[in-house]
Amino acid sequence: THPLLPEEDPAQFRDRHYLDVIGRLKPGVRREQAAAQLDVLGRRLERQYPDANRGKTIGIFGLKEDRVFGVRPTLLTLLAAVGFVLLIACANVANLLLARGAVREKELAIRAALGAGRGRIVRQLLTESVLLALLGGAAAVMLALWLTPLLLALAPADLQALEGAPAGASVNLPVLAFALLLSALSGVLFGLTPALQSARLDLGRRLKEGSRGTERKARARTLLVAAEIALSLVLLVGAGLMVRSFARLLEVRPGFQPDRLLVFSLTAPPTQSSERQVAQYQAIVERLRSLPGVAAAGAVSRLPLSRGNSARSFNLAGGDAEYEADLRVATGDYFRTLGIPLIQGRDFSAHDVATAPAVAVVNQALARRVFSGRDPLGQRFWFFPEQPIEIVGVVGNVRHHGLASAPRPEVYLPLAQSYWPSMTVAMRSAGRDPLALVPAAQRAIWSLDPEMPLAELKTMDRVVSDSLEQRRFSMLLLALFASVALLLAAVGLYGAVAYAVSQRTREFAIRMALGALPRQVVRMILGQALRITLAGLACGIAAALGLTHLIAGL
């Protein structure tokens, strides 16, 4: 049945586009072919029923895409962050392998002198790097098994279940296989350059010079460290932008006052008639309003920031243009309870009963978009041909779909003249703690219906906080990855400088023997580290400028 017209046959409402259709493609049929056929069907329906289907099209998309649609930006952002951390870690390993290869040059030269070919030496070094990578991957898997429950405890509900996926987010066999394969590939890719560098041997010179590194390897290590610094800077900038965006969201005014509000859902028995259910909801609100410590009480069909919505198309009296608005069914005193300001006209009153002319309250977004400066009070519109509705009030905009979403046009209908199968009750406490009202509210409702449960009971502050949990989780993880990246880059820079110092010990001793002061040697070493850091910062800033545009789109 239709929520607003429970007595009517819903099959007769051709202009009610609120159902989702799920189908399975035949074997061998591509999505493009199905989309083309549905497009033809949509155009045919538009020609046959222009009043109900003008401008309506039929879209097609995968069910899996629909399930992960809400978390896709989060997952892609985290995937990029993990990729950056992996690249930094691999660059560190490659740097260490280059240094290790320089130390082992005499050993490798002896092997080559005894008959080992370049290919055999490369295979040996690649085997060592892959084994090192696999051991690191195995250790990472053990760490992931320990950390995954902790991260999932902090994750939002839709990310925990991946929008209804049966397995949810867990470390399973495909994840283990992917981790080990990625470890092996990392060992090959980032161990190949050090292996090739170490295999280019000049036997006579290497046997004479021992383990002193070459200038080419020093340049390679410097480039790797600079790349680490650049990647870590990109992650730090991304984390900073996410934190700044989250801070701005916390400053956004939702259009209502969430403090001291207790909310919960009620569903009347489906065996009752629609008139009986409406009367029961009204009686419950009246009983709750009279409780001690309750400043105001009201009910609405769709609570702000609750991820639910009901949109309807409507026409103005004397016009052919079709508009769309989000529909809410509310009791009297709902706007005062939530602190939604009344801009023009009046609120719902006790005179707005089922036998009285139908009335509605609209928000400012609808008044501006539909009436373009004209006075909306007294204007009439139709949700259904036989039900003209008069606008009696205009209220402030509410960000129903999220603090980051602009307010949409909304129409509020009085519960006494409409019907909705379930309602969300809001109670404003006269004290500081709205949860203190829970026992009295339960007794009041159960005195009217002992079998009616209070579902999703929470404070409105918690509702606002829950609406931000996905962004909060993304911000925390990105900040964590950025911190790890910064630590890895610092370790890489320390390793590169420490190795360079160890290779130049003889040079420094000679300089000091010729009169150089210790602080001059320290200044020389720090200058080398600073040049590497500045090179990495320059590249990182250039990449971060492009990142700002990407994150702005997210």
Side-chain angles (χ1 to χ4, degrees):
T1 60
H2 195 283
L4 295 180
L5 299 176
E7 310 301 331
E8 302 291 337
D9 181 9
Q12 305 303 317
F13 301 143
R14 286 194 168 272
D15 59 344
R16 303 294 169 251
H17 306 96
Y18 59 90
L19 294 177
D20 294 327
V21 179
I22 300 177
R24 186 179 298 277
L25 296 179
K26 291 181 179 180
V29 177
R30 294 180 302 166
R31 184 186 298 186
E32 293 78 10
Q33 295 174 301
Q37 295 178 12
L38 289 175
D39 185 65
V40 172
L41 177 60
R43 295 179 185 277
R44 186 186 308 163
L45 290 174
E46 185 177 16
R47 289 194 302 268
Q48 292 178 343
Y49 307 98
D51 294 337
N53 293 284
R54 183 181 296 110
K56 304 296 182 182
T57 58
I58 302 177
I60 181 173
F61 48 88
L63 183 60
K64 183 178 180 180
E65 297 174 7
D66 179 59
R67 286 188 171 183
V68 300
F69 176 77
V71 297
R72 183 181 296 275
T74 301
L75 296 179
L76 292 178
T77 303
L78 297 182
L79 178 63
V82 171
F84 278 15
V85 174
L86 177 64
L87 287 176
I88 294 173
C90 290
N92 259 350
V93 173
N95 212 338
L96 292 175
L97 290 176
L98 281 172
R100 189 166 179 262
V103 173
R104 297 176 61 189
E105 281 185 351
K106 185 175 182 179
E107 170 201 341
L108 297 176
I110 294 175
R111 288 177 181 272
L114 294 177
R118 177 175 297 182
R120 185 169 183 178
I121 293 177
V122 170
R123 286 196 302 270
Q124 175 191 343
L125 296 178
L126 276 181
T127 301
E128 294 176 0
S129 65
V130 170
L131 180 60
L132 182 65
L134 289 177
L135 290 175
V141 167
M142 299 299 295
L143 187 63
L145 290 172
W146 177 63
L147 286 178
T148 297
L150 176 62
L151 291 177
L152 287 180
L154 300 174
D158 52 356
L159 192 58
Q160 291 181 25
L162 287 182
E163 292 290 333
S170 62
V171 181
N172 48 30
L173 288 179
V175 172
L176 293 177
F178 176 77
L180 294 179
L181 178 62
L182 188 61
S183 300
L185 289 177
S186 301
V188 172
L189 294 177
F190 288 87
L192 187 60
T193 298
L196 293 176
Q197 290 270 10
S198 299
R200 296 189 183 120
L201 296 173
D202 181 351
L203 297 182
R205 189 168 64 86
R206 293 296 187 274
L207 291 173
K208 290 179 181 179
E209 295 180 357
S211 61
R212 285 187 296 171
T214 63
E215 184 179 351
R216 180 182 299 174
K217 292 183 180 180
R219 286 199 302 267
R221 290 193 296 271
T222 299
L223 290 176
L224 286 174
V225 174
E228 292 180 44
I229 295 174
L231 291 175
S232 63
L233 178 64
V234 170
L235 272 184
L236 287 170
V237 170
L241 290 176
M242 292 285 284
V243 171
R244 184 181 181 186
S245 175
F246 188 78
R248 287 189 173 185
L249 274 181
L250 295 179
E251 297 174 356
V252 171
R253 295 183 179 181
F256 58 90
Q257 300 173 7
D259 59 300
R260 298 186 294 113
L261 273 181
L262 178 71
V263 296
F264 52 87
S265 299
L266 295 178
T267 302
T271 55
Q272 295 180 351
S273 65
S274 59
E275 292 81 4
R276 172 59 183 158
Q277 292 183 23
V278 168
Q280 188 171 24
Y281 288 138
Q282 289 178 318
I284 288 174
V285 171
E286 289 296 329
R287 180 70 60 88
L288 295 176
R289 190 178 297 154
S290 63
L291 291 177
V294 176
V300 69
S301 58
R302 299 288 189 182
L303 189 70
L305 306 177
S306 62
R307 302 183 182 181
N309 189 50
S310 298
R312 297 290 186 272
S313 57
F314 66 94
N315 301 90
L316 294 180
D320 296 329
E322 185 177 83
Y323 304 93
E324 186 175 274
D326 295 343
L327 178 64
R328 312 279 181 252
V329 176
T331 63
D333 221 22
Y334 165 74
F335 303 111
R336 187 172 74 88
T337 302
L338 259 71
I340 302 174
L342 181 65
I343 307 301
Q344 286 181 270
R346 65 175 179 86
D347 195 350
F348 300 134
S349 68
H351 301 289
D352 298 322
V353 295
T355 56
V359 297
V361 172
V362 300
N363 69 343
Q364 286 179 300
L366 186 143
R368 291 169 181 170
R369 180 175 302 181
V370 176
F371 298 102
S372 303
R374 293 180 296 157
D375 187 3
L377 298 183
Q379 300 286 346
R380 295 194 173 197
F381 65 93
W382 277 264
F383 274 129
F384 312 103
E386 67 279 4
Q387 189 181 11
I389 304 174
E390 180 182 352
I391 298 176
V392 296
V394 179
V395 295
N397 293 327
V398 174
R399 296 178 182 267
H400 270 275
H401 300 276
L403 298 182
S405 301
R408 291 162 48 99
E410 291 178 342
V411 172
Y412 296 87
L413 302 180
L415 177 62
Q417 296 181 348
S418 308
Y419 164 77
W420 207 264
S422 61
M423 299 290 287
T424 299
V425 176
M427 301 172 59
R428 182 168 294 278
S429 172
R432 292 184 176 181
D433 184 15
L435 292 176
L437 300 175
V438 173
Q442 287 181 331
R443 289 193 298 268
I445 294 174
W446 290 345
S447 67
L448 297 174
D449 188 344
E451 298 182 356
M452 180 173 289
L454 280 66
E456 302 179 89
L457 193 150
K458 60 182 72 173
T459 65
M460 199 62 197
D461 286 328
R462 175 65 183 274
V463 173
V464 175
S465 177
D466 289 347
S467 71
L468 298 172
E469 59 180 356
Q470 184 172 310
R471 292 176 178 268
R472 183 185 298 110
F473 183 69
S474 303
M475 178 191 66
L476 291 177
L477 279 189
L478 194 57
L480 175 63
F481 290 138
S483 302
V484 173
L486 179 62
L487 178 62
L488 290 176
V491 170
L493 179 62
Y494 168 78
V497 175
Y499 179 79
V501 170
S502 67
Q503 296 293 58
R504 299 175 63 185
T505 302
R506 184 178 179 183
E507 173 195 341
F508 294 149
I510 295 175
R511 288 177 179 273
M512 295 182 69
L514 295 177
L517 298 176
R519 64 172 178 271
Q520 293 175 318
V521 175
V522 172
R523 190 182 302 117
M524 184 187 309
I525 297 172
L526 291 180
Q528 179 187 2
L530 185 59
R531 286 192 295 271
I532 298 174
T533 304
L534 291 178
L537 290 178
C539 297
I541 289 173
L545 290 176
L547 177 71
T548 56
H549 298 290
L550 176 62
I551 289 190
L554 295 176

Coordinates of all heavy atoms in Angstrom, one line a residue, residues 14-17 42-57 322:
R14 N 1.0 5.6 -11.6 CA 2.1 5.4 -12.6 C 3.2 6.5 -12.4 O 4.3 6.4 -12.9 CB 1.5 5.6 -14.0 CG 0.8 4.3 -14.5 CD 0.6 4.4 -16.0 NE 0.2 3.1 -16.5 CZ 1.0 2.1 -16.8 NH1 2.3 2.3 -16.8 NH2 0.5 0.9 -17.3
D15 N 2.9 7.5 -11.6 CA 3.9 8.6 -11.4 C 4.6 8.4 -10.0 O 5.2 9.3 -9.5 CB 3.2 9.9 -11.4 CG 2.1 10.1 -10.4 OD1 1.7 9.1 -9.8 OD2 1.7 11.2 -10.1
R16 N 4.5 7.2 -9.4 CA 5.2 7.0 -8.2 C 6.5 6.2 -8.4 O 6.5 5.0 -8.6 CB 4.3 6.2 -7.2 CG 3.0 6.9 -6.9 CD 3.3 8.3 -6.2 NE 2.0 9.1 -6.2 CZ 1.9 10.2 -6.9 NH1 2.8 10.6 -7.6 NH2 0.8 10.9 -6.8
H17 N 7.6 6.9 -8.6 CA 8.9 6.2 -8.9 C 9.7 6.0 -7.7 O 10.8 6.6 -7.5 CB 9.6 7.1 -10.0 CG 8.8 7.4 -11.2 ND1 8.1 8.6 -11.3 CD2 8.5 6.7 -12.3 CE1 7.5 8.6 -12.4 NE2 7.7 7.5 -13.1
G42 N 11.9 2.9 -21.8 CA 11.6 4.1 -21.1 C 11.0 5.2 -22.1 O 10.0 5.9 -21.7
R43 N 11.5 5.3 -23.3 CA 11.0 6.2 -24.2 C 9.5 5.8 -24.6 O 8.7 6.7 -24.9 CB 11.9 6.3 -25.5 CG 13.3 6.9 -25.2 CD 14.1 6.9 -26.4 NE 15.5 7.3 -26.1 CZ 15.9 8.6 -26.0 NH1 15.0 9.6 -26.1 NH2 17.1 8.9 -25.7
R44 N 9.3 4.5 -24.7 CA 7.9 4.1 -25.1 C 7.0 4.4 -24.0 O 5.8 4.9 -24.3 CB 8.0 2.6 -25.3 CG 6.7 2.0 -25.9 CD 6.7 0.5 -25.9 NE 7.9 0.1 -26.7 CZ 8.4 -1.2 -26.6 NH1 7.9 -2.1 -25.8 NH2 9.5 -1.5 -27.4
L45 N 7.3 4.2 -22.7 CA 6.5 4.6 -21.6 C 6.2 6.1 -21.6 O 5.1 6.5 -21.2 CB 7.1 4.1 -20.3 CG 7.1 2.6 -20.1 CD1 7.9 2.2 -18.8 CD2 5.7 2.0 -20.0
E46 N 7.2 6.9 -21.9 CA 7.1 8.3 -21.9 C 6.1 8.7 -22.9 O 5.3 9.7 -22.7 CB 8.4 9.0 -22.1 CG 8.4 10.5 -22.0 CD 9.8 11.1 -22.2 OE1 10.7 10.4 -22.7 OE2 9.9 12.3 -21.9
R47 N 6.1 8.1 -24.1 CA 5.1 8.4 -25.1 C 3.7 8.0 -24.8 O 2.7 8.7 -25.0 CB 5.5 7.8 -26.5 CG 6.7 8.4 -27.1 CD 6.9 8.0 -28.6 NE 7.0 6.5 -28.7 CZ 8.1 5.8 -28.7 NH1 9.3 6.5 -28.6 NH2 8.1 4.5 -28.8
Q48 N 3.6 6.8 -24.1 CA 2.2 6.3 -23.8 C 1.6 7.0 -22.6 O 0.4 7.2 -22.6 CB 2.3 4.8 -23.5 CG 2.7 3.9 -24.7 CD 2.8 2.4 -24.3 OE1 2.9 2.1 -23.2 NE2 2.7 1.6 -25.3
Y49 N 2.5 7.4 -21.6 CA 2.0 8.0 -20.4 C 2.8 9.3 -20.1 O 3.6 9.3 -19.2 CB 2.1 7.1 -19.2 CG 1.4 5.7 -19.5 CD1 2.2 4.6 -19.9 CD2 0.0 5.6 -19.3 CE1 1.6 3.4 -20.1 CE2 -0.6 4.3 -19.6 CZ 0.2 3.2 -20.0 OH -0.3 2.0 -20.2
P50 N 2.6 10.3 -20.9 CA 3.4 11.5 -20.8 C 3.2 12.2 -19.5 O 4.2 12.8 -18.9 CB 2.9 12.4 -22.0 CG 1.5 11.9 -22.3 CD 1.5 10.4 -22.0
D51 N 2.0 12.2 -18.9 CA 1.8 12.9 -17.6 C 2.6 12.3 -16.5 O 3.1 13.0 -15.6 CB 0.3 12.9 -17.2 CG -0.5 13.7 -18.2 OD1 0.1 14.6 -18.8 OD2 -1.7 13.4 -18.3
A52 N 2.8 11.0 -16.5 CA 3.5 10.3 -15.4 C 5.0 10.0 -15.7 O 5.7 9.9 -14.7 CB 2.8 9.0 -15.1
N53 N 5.4 10.0 -16.9 CA 6.7 9.6 -17.3 C 7.5 10.6 -18.1 O 8.5 10.3 -18.7 CB 6.7 8.3 -18.0 CG 6.3 7.1 -17.1 OD1 7.0 6.6 -16.3 ND2 5.0 6.7 -17.3
R54 N 7.0 11.9 -18.1 CA 7.8 12.9 -18.9 C 9.1 13.2 -18.3 O 9.2 13.5 -17.1 CB 6.9 14.2 -19.0 CG 7.6 15.2 -19.9 CD 6.8 16.5 -19.9 NE 5.5 16.3 -20.6 CZ 4.3 16.4 -20.0 NH1 4.3 16.6 -18.7 NH2 3.2 16.2 -20.6
G55 N 10.2 13.0 -19.1 CA 11.5 13.3 -18.6 C 12.1 12.2 -17.7 O 13.2 12.3 -17.2
K56 N 11.4 11.0 -17.6 CA 11.9 9.9 -16.8 C 12.6 8.9 -17.6 O 12.2 8.6 -18.7 CB 10.7 9.2 -16.1 CG 9.9 10.1 -15.2 CD 10.6 10.7 -14.0 CE 9.8 11.6 -13.2 NZ 10.5 12.2 -12.1
T57 N 13.8 8.5 -17.2 CA 14.6 7.5 -17.9 C 14.8 6.3 -17.0 O 14.5 6.3 -15.8 CB 15.9 8.1 -18.3 OG1 16.6 8.5 -17.1 CG2 15.8 9.2 -19.2
E322 N 6.3 20.4 -13.3 CA 6.4 19.4 -12.3 C 7.6 19.7 -11.4 O 8.7 19.9 -11.9 CB 6.4 18.0 -12.9 CG 6.4 16.9 -11.8 CD 6.4 15.5 -12.5 OE1 7.5 15.0 -12.8 OE2 5.3 15.0 -12.6

